[in-house]
């Protein structure tokens, strides 16, 4: 954390100086109106909240924050994003850690009893510096709400408003008009925004107003879900466990935070064509009884049900996530469940929704701050619709496999899935479910891969895969990826080769009229306000001196011109911890890695590719 | 973190259910009155705040919480204690990490210029799982105040009260009467307490009322201290740096949290006999000019002074820390600067004071809860006065060395200290300054060392040195020491040998009428309410099953009888991470390690020493 740049201030440094822009009442006009306080909406709101020049509001039809239930899986990739928002450590502390997953199937000798068929490490070594964890969605909301409250804008949701209609005009500074209605009392309001984002769930009013539809499979598999406090002799009750019984269906066990609570996903009978689970009048007792039958010979005594629900969601998707046309750029977006729904069993819903919000947030901020042109906004639907499409395809297979009965080894002709095959699929898809397989296609904000060989571990289009380094100025061992904060800035990491390419690059960036740092930076702002340049050297930290570094790597900032000492890093000398080795960086030539504000690698280039770099940023920024 | 044991509850699990015992106004009677909201007082208050059956109040003469200045060094041992209180992670995130220390002396060729003479790793590898860090004392206070606010008692300081007098009666339920005066307005109150603890600093009113005196060296070396935002070309400005100039004196540089601020300790001229620094009218400009002279040839441009002070504290100590007599047990205690003062340069003051509070807290709680007899309270002064004595001795040498001029290599007969010698002394004393060298003498609460060979790395009388383990039930990699929370409980760690000694021990603990868990536990409480038994096995976590563990290691707890799955651990199979190897545990015989509520090892014993264990606890508990 960096603070005190513009003077010492007592108190919690996470609480930024109040810019005084938050109006207690919902105003008539705003830059961005977000609809819905779910994971997508709150991620977006938390991102926009850090910019005091942007007026953001978020409305929610519920009367207050979520307290219980809903999603709970937090993938490694999401933890990396939480780190950028500053609360990964709190999630780590409070959450359950998914360390292993166990698989149970019918006992060969007595198929009415389940037996453990395998156990695997949940996340492969080195996939992320963060674990896969489980935490009540409500707590994730709490952390985002705190980020918003502490940000310069002091953004707070306006609860109790429902969207009635959204209309987009062709012109005007605030072309989107949204009709709102108070849930209590029915008062109507019209507000105008430059942009509106519907994060209002599977029954999204914003989507409906755009005339978009979720299309895909009708659901014919129903599941129950419950968070329980229970006493059991099932030995893997504190492991994530996928259990397939011979004849009673399946249960997925997800242990929960706090050491006692557990979530059970319980397979229900197949639904008929166009039948909805709501019509079945499933009770909590029914779910408990089903779980008890599946878990035999183990017992399960449920002492308290904290929350439960039934669902029959199929795999459904919108074909685009905004209202753009050939001529007109997007003004209204949808994100999260509003544009993609699927089964919850792979723990993807909340994670993918938050990545939607993260993808859109920095783009809206860049356009509203005048850093980038409006065309940038088209990339949101392009990038995220493709990812959602992959998710839907994955989930179709995964959910089907999960719901299929286990194949009887004594009857090889029988229908069903070999539990070993299910386990293998689970392992194969580990990177996908961890959220680290996301790869954006080449575009104006995602370069080609012609120089990928310079850094094989920083794949263009994929998230920046953090690795350990040692900070030169204070010898602090740390994760390089953790310098990427959710602050809307681009990062340029210069990895030194054998020559003095870093000095050359810094000279270009610092002094050349074509430098993107000079071209795209708002007047009066710090040198790193839009593009943040950092360097990593192959030497140990005692072999270099901060005093010998190019001026750009120890910039004077803020009202006092204080030196920022956190731009230069060295390889970590511990065995197996050298970032050049870990990420396949060319030791002779070095390289440049450009990282987007949402932590995705935009470009890998030679250290000498000054013009190409300038060209890349000219394509992204004004 | 464990929560939801007695039912799901929404919100932050760190906020414990309000027991409704905190009165808005200072009551007439209380169990414990703490005087002073410094590090010692707040540590003690945070400890007592977790017990809803104990009425604690803390008064402070200042009008509100500390905002700026004072101490900033947080030793590794203190971080371990912060972990027990639940906020080590927040300190890690916000603080500056002291990774290396550099040493500067006059340049041999040009003695008017300083040059780096050495750099060392600040903390030896493996000394603690936590780093040595630097953070504004005010933030440490903030974290303690939050622990208190969130605890069952919702303890909040009563600001603006000054202690006028303390009187101890021979009898009565609340024998200590304290006269208080409102700082604003002068209103007087008398309150009565069972125990009073003076944490009210070097000019302690409580100490004065006890008739105790700080005795020791008069100070004749004066120092200035300032927290500044400055621009400099001194390359180690983000390293802890001890700088001895040839003729201008010494500076100690302590980089501070946030990346920009730095603390400077600046040597001032020697004082005359019985002269006080206050009489010199030292100004901030004077301190800046002195620092500039010492740092030559480097420049220092100070942009803002966040805080500054001058001091001339010598090494002084009380010969006892309570009012006990041969017959009467203690009723009034003093802690922190009230009983020991010394130079701040080794960063010990705040740390030792907090350990005073931690040592006393669990003892007061045990006596007030009826777990232990009053004689336990005598051990506070016995243990902590000896530690303070060691600190004073250390500081006398350290401060003298620091203040001595550097020896001129061209004039070996000259007065002064060889900078190399100073650096060596610094390294030698690393464990002491890290706070991990503290060793309590044998007593009723600290067993002898006759079985020390069973676990050479868990030294009786020293703090439990954490090491990695994997939790059996959920395969979570973690630090064993982090199960020790500041909750007043004793821990028994049973390290398995080659036989079934753990099962035998659990049988004794669980079923035998002589079991200390049966004897000393309040009726109706959980089996682990007073003594928390855990086991560590040599096998990997996939080789054992939680279902095969003795009942005592998967106890049913709380209103629902939910099973606590967090009692059993396995060795971590990663190279160099096996706790049996790291802590020298006898693999054939195993052992028992008994740990006090303040994290100190009380006993190492054979797994079969059931009677001896029972005897030990009978000596500590009622």
């Amino acid at each position: 954390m960096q603070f005190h740049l513009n003077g010492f201030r007592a108190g919690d440094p996470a609480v930024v100086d109040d810019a005084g822009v938050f109006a207690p009442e919902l105003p008539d006009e705003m830059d961005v109106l977000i609809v819905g306080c779910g994971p997508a909406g709150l991620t977006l709101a938390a991102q926009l909240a850090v910019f005091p020049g942007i007026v953001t509001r978020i409305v929610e039809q519920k009367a207050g924050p979520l307290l219980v239930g809903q999603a709970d899986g937090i993938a490694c990739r999401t933890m990396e994003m939480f780190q950028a928002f500053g609360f990964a450590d709190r999630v780590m502390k409070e959450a359950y850690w998914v360390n292993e997953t166990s698989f149970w199937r019918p006992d060969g000798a007595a198929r009415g009893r389940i037996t453990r068929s395998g156990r695997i490490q949940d996340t492969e070594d080195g996939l992320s510096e963060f674990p896969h964890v489980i935490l009540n969605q409500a707590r994730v909301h709490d952390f985002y709400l705190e980020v918003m409250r502490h940000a310069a804008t002091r953004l707070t949701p306006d609860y109790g408003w429902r969207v009635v209609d959204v209309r987009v005009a062709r012109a005007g500074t605030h072309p989107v008009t949204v009709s709102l209605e108070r849930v209590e009392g029915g008062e109507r309001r019209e507000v105008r925004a430059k942009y509106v984002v519907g994060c209002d769930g599977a029954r999204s009013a914003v989507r409906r107003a755009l005339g978009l539809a979720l299309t895909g499979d009708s659901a014919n598999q129903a599941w129950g879900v419950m968070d329980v406090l229970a006493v059991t002799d099932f030995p893997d009750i504190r492991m994530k466990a996928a259990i397939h019984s011979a004849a009673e269906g399946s249960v997925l066990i997800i242990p929960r935070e706090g050491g006692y609570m557990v979530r059970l996903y319980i397979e229900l009978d197949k639904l008929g064509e166009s039948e909805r689970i709501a019509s079945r009048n499933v009770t909590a007792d029914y779910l408990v009884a089903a779980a008890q039958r599946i878990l035999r010979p183990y017992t399960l005594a449920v002492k308290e049900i904290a929350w439960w629900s039934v669902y029959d969601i199929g795999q459904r998707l919108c074909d685009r996530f905004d209202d753009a046309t050939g001529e007109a750029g997007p003004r209204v977006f949808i994100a999260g469940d509003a544009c993609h729904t699927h089964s919850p069993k792979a723990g993807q819903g909340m994670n993918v929704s938050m990545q939607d919000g993260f993808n859109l947030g920095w783009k809206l901020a860049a356009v509203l701050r005048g850093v980038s042109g409006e065309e940038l906004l088209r990339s949101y639907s392009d990038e995220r619709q493709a990812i959602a499409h992959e998710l839907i395809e994955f989930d179709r297979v995964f959910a089907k496999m999960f719901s299929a009965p286990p194949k009887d080894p004594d009857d090889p002709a029988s229908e069903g899935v070999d539990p070993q095959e299910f386990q293998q699929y689970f392992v194969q898809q580990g990177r996908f479910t961890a959220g680290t397989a996301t790869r954006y296609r080449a575009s104006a904000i995602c370069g080609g891969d012609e120089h990928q060989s310079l850094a094989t571990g920083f794949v263009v289009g994929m998230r920046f895969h953090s690795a350990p380094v040692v900070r030169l100025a204070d010898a602090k061992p740390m994760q390089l990826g953790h310098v990427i904060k959710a602050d809307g800035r681009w990062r340029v990491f210069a990895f030194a080769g054998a020559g003095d390419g870093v000095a050359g690059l810094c000279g270009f960036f610092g002094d050349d009229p074509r430098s993107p740092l000079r071209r795209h930076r708002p007047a009066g702002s710090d040198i790193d306000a839009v593009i943040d340049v950092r360097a990593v050297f192959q030497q140990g930290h005692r072999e270099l001196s901060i005093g010998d570094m190019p001026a750009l790597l120890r910039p004077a900032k803020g009202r006092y011109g204080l030196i920022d000492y956190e731009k230069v890093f060295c390889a970590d000398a511990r065995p197996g911890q050298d970032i050049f080795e870990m990420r396949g960086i060319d030791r002779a030539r070095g390289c440049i890695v450009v990282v987007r504000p949402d932590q995705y690698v935009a470009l890998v280039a030679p250290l000498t590719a000054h013009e190409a770099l300038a060209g890349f940023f000219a394509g992204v920024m004004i």
Side-chain angles (χ1 to χ4, degrees), chain A residues 62 64-70 136-139 141-142 256 306-307:
Chain A
K62 292 200 191 76
L66 182 73
L67 295 175
V68 61
Q70 304 198 24
N136 191 341
Q137 178 179 339
R139 293 296 292 151
H141 290 197
D142 289 347
R256 285 285 295 272
W307 174 78

Side-chain angles (χ1 to χ4, degrees), chain A residues 17-64:
Chain A
D17 281 333
D18 186 351
V21 296
F22 192 78
E25 292 298 314
L26 190 64
D28 292 330
E29 283 191 354
M30 60 205 74
D31 292 314
V32 183
L33 177 67
I34 303 166
V35 183
C37 275
L42 289 173
T43 304
L44 179 57
Q47 176 64 93
L48 293 174
V50 306
F51 302 102
I54 299 176
V55 177
T56 307
R57 302 299 286 219
I58 178 166
V59 293
E60 162 62 45
Q61 60 178 5
K62 292 200 191 76

Side-chain angles (χ1 to χ4, degrees), chain A residues 216-447:
Chain A
D217 299 356
S218 68
N220 67 350
Q221 181 62 56
W223 288 76
V225 54
M226 56 201 315
D227 292 338
V228 299
L229 295 166
V231 176
T232 178
D233 55 358
F234 178 67
D236 286 359
I237 193 70
R238 298 302 304 164
M239 299 279 187
K240 178 173 171 183
I243 302 164
H244 287 89
S245 74
E248 301 291 350
S250 302
V251 159
L252 179 65
I253 290 180
I254 307 284
R256 285 285 295 272
E257 65 274 12
Y260 299 104
M261 196 159 73
V262 64
R263 168 163 293 191
L264 306 175
Y265 286 102
I266 301 148
E267 189 183 13
L268 299 175
D269 298 334
K270 287 257 185 305
L271 298 173
E273 280 284 316
S274 76
E275 184 191 12
R276 298 303 304 265
I277 185 62
S279 64
R280 291 275 186 103
N281 290 320
V282 173
T283 62
D285 286 346
Y286 178 92
L287 293 179
V288 171
Q292 287 168 334
R293 288 194 303 271
I294 296 166
L295 281 169
R296 279 181 201 149
Y298 300 103
T299 59
L300 177 78
V302 172
K303 302 295 184 178
E304 179 179 311
I305 300 172
W307 174 78
W308 72 280
S309 183
V310 291
Y311 61 91
D312 53 1
I313 294 168
Q315 289 79 26
R316 302 203 296 162
L317 179 65
C318 277
D319 58 2
R320 52 196 174 87
F321 291 2
D322 65 28
D323 69 338
T325 64
E327 305 83 52
R331 285 288 169 180
V332 183
F333 307 84
I334 48 177
D337 287 354
C339 36
H340 45 77
T341 69
H342 47 88
S343 85
K345 280 178 298 297
Q348 293 303 294
M350 174 161 71
N351 295 285
V352 174
S353 296
M354 289 192 281
Q355 293 292 337
D356 287 350
F358 199 33
N359 183 290
L360 181 55
W362 70 269
K363 295 173 181 175
L364 279 171
V367 171
L368 288 164
R369 294 165 75 208
V371 171
S372 296
E374 288 192 346
E375 62 281 6
L376 176 63
L377 298 176
R378 289 181 182 268
S379 68
Y380 165 69
S381 181
D382 291 349
E383 291 189 332
R384 296 306 299 172
Q385 207 274 348
I387 298 303
H389 184 77
E390 288 173 18
L391 169 61
I392 296 293
E393 292 302 308
F394 161 78
D395 189 58
R396 192 170 280 135
V397 180
F398 189 79
K400 195 168 170 182
M401 248 186 195
F402 204 97
S403 295
K407 194 187 275 283
D408 184 346
D410 294 336
D411 180 8
S414 63
E415 291 273 310
V417 172
D418 178 1
Q420 210 57 39
E421 194 187 327
F422 178 69
Q423 181 174 329
Q424 268 167 23
Y425 185 78
F426 188 92
V427 172
Q428 279 162 14
Q429 300 300 322
R431 292 183 180 197
F432 186 86
T433 48
T436 59
T438 295
R439 185 170 186 172
Y440 295 130
R441 292 180 201 138
S443 70
I445 54 171
C446 209

